Amino acid sequence: MQLRVVADQPWEVAADVLAVPFIGEPVFGGLLAEIDKRSGRELSALASFGELGGERFGAVVAAAGEMKAGRLLAVGAGDADTISRQVVVRLGSAIERRLGGRSVKSLAIWLGDLPAHVDGGAEAVAELLARGVVEGSFEPATIYRDNVKSAPPELSELILVAPGADVAALKKAADRGVIMGEGANLARRLDNRAANDVSPEVLAQEARAIAQQHGLSIDVIEPEQAEKLGMGMFLAVGRGSANPPRMIVLRSGAEGAKDAAGRRLAMVGKGVCFDSGGISIKPADHMEEMKMDKTGACTVIAAIATVARLAPGTPLLAIAPAVENMPGPHSARPGDVVKAMNGKTVDILNTDAEGRLILGDAMCYAEKLGATHLVDVATLTGAVSRAFGDQMTGAFGTPQAWYDTVAAAGARAGERYWQLPFIEEYRSDLDSWYADFTNTGSPEGGLIKSALFLREFATVPWVHLDIAGTAYFRKKTAYAPAGATGVSHATLVELALAGAKA
Ligand code: BES
Ligand code: MN
Ligand code: ZN
């Protein structure tokens, strides 16, 4: 897809479709009045007919009259006071998805008044819209079949229309947005793939291909070596499946190097290729969704690739413990006691609390490789999705300054996080008769307890992002299909890029 930024007036731009965003209920003043006039008062007629109510992401196709574009797409950005960076990304996606099944090759989007409502102004809007269009073009229905009729159009050209703007600066920003969007889509494409297709070894193969493509170092740790390294929790989960576990370790920058922010950042992503629950087996309802229990792994693999495209050589680690959590003759049993890489012993009370087991060893390994700062991303608990649903990620961190740094990256990325507390009183609920602690306690406060468990495996600043609610949508929206959302990819990229050499 070619990307162009033009400073022309919207009616001068030749394209199959020109998207015209409006904020709140349409008011036909300024350039919008001129666009309306040149469309033959098509837009104001639709508004008075009740088609353009101001609903966010509501989009109506209109005739373009004497304008150079083939058609107009009037699209609602919603109320001014709730426009955010996330809304601008989603607006780009909604425009692209609204054109699903149509033959559109060139899409132009006028920035309209959006720059006045987003910090960062026109440059930010250009980046976020471009990213949104790319994310909107993602169609999981094409993973396992061809010729999906309703798929969003494959654009040969995206034109951002910003009359009077600094075209070069906007182009640079929008290019960055395209790369961010492509990274999110890489994560989503892997994530949506079925468990009979993507085993831990296949995920490792995919990571190898990505590493080669982007000049990253890769090391894939197999069970024998994991045994030597003392990864007893990781192995306990992995041994239940005929598909053996893999600890996938990707690196950019020199071994041991610190980034421009003085950090050696490691991103750790939960890679459960299928979570049946193991011996503590899950109920059948929605179990098929557990192929996306590898979202965290897909996210960190894609994020390090995106950083390699935007700022090659930035010191960074991505670690993805990949397993299949299955019941069988070799599975870990409730009551099994295993030893973690840091020497702590764990009483596995519930084999369905497997994510924290594999992450704990992966975090220890990250520190062994010299990580000074950790962020993990994991579909860890049903509790977080009961609390926050699919629009807000629950997050923990210590010390607070590191949490704040990650949260600021999230804000730049246009993603939503809500900080949850470590409640020290609940730690004793993980006390075990037999081991240093158990992997689950009573269900009350289970979300907090999952983070208290993980905290046992971090000795450096660490943030935990529980994306179990936000990793995938059960239903499509105007801006995204059902399935993997790519959540947290942009946050991790923003976080890592804060350490890019200028
Ligand atoms: N992968 C699940 C969490 C999950 C649930 C992700 C729903 C996405 C959607 C995780 O491994 C799990 O099974 N967690 C248990 C923990 C419990 C046994 C303490 C849960 O949340 O029920
Ligand atoms: Mn589980
Ligand atoms: Zn799981």
Side-chain angles (χ1 to χ4, degrees), residues 206-390:
E206 294 287 347
R208 285 187 190 99
I210 289 166
Q212 174 136 41
Q213 194 182 344
H214 298 287
L216 301 164
S217 308
I218 182 162
D219 184 22
V220 176
I221 298 172
E222 303 203 351
E224 202 177 315
Q225 197 193 344
E227 191 89 53
K228 286 190 190 126
L229 287 162
M231 297 175 170
M233 298 194 297
F234 169 67
L235 288 168
V237 180
R239 74 184 189 217
S241 172
N243 297 317
R246 298 284 185 258
M247 181 76 75
I248 302 165
V249 183
L250 290 155
R251 190 187 79 228
S252 68
E255 211 173 321
K258 297 241 165 76
D259 68 13
R263 319 170 303 205
R264 183 150 181 70
L265 174 64
M267 312 179 290
V268 179
K270 172 175 173 179
V272 178
C273 293
F274 188 73
D275 182 11
S276 71
I279 298 295
S280 314
I281 198 161
K282 286 181 180 297
D285 254 18
H286 296 298
M287 204 204 269
E288 74 286 355
E289 293 174 0
M290 289 300 111
K291 67 184 176 191
M292 285 178 289
D293 210 19
K294 62 183 181 298
T295 304
C298 299
T299 307
V300 301
I301 292 167
I304 197 171
T306 302
V307 173
R309 293 181 69 189
L310 290 171
T314 301
L316 184 63
L317 286 168
I319 304 188
V323 299
E324 228 177 52
N325 189 23
M326 296 290 279
H330 303 287
S331 299
R333 293 147 290 235
D336 279 6
V337 175
V338 299
K339 189 179 260 185
M341 195 177 166
N342 65 357
K344 296 186 180 181
T345 54
V346 178
D347 183 358
I348 302 177
L349 289 191
N350 189 321
T351 65
D352 197 13
E354 83 298 339
R356 59 196 76 180
L357 298 173
I358 66 171
L359 287 168
D361 277 337
M363 287 159 59
C364 290
Y365 190 64
E367 289 197 28
K368 187 182 151 82
L369 295 179
T372 62
H373 292 75
L374 298 176
V375 55
D376 82 76
V377 52
T379 47
L380 203 69
T381 67
V384 83
S385 77
R386 283 191 290 277
F388 294 126
D390 62 13

Side-chain angles (χ1 to χ4, degrees), residues 49 180 430:
F49 185 64
M180 294 277 255
L430 301 178

Side-chain angles (χ1 to χ4, degrees), residues 180-197:
M180 294 277 255
E182 288 173 351
N185 291 351
L186 174 66
R188 296 161 88 188
R189 197 171 175 86
L190 258 178
D191 195 17
N192 272 311
R193 283 168 60 187
N196 65 332
D197 178 7

Side-chain angles (χ1 to χ4, degrees), residues 137-156:
S137 72
F138 177 73
E139 179 49 67
T142 62
I143 295 176
Y144 293 114
R145 55 203 201 294
D146 308 319
N147 306 320
V148 176
K149 285 219 173 61
S150 58
E154 261 181 58
L155 300 177
S156 51

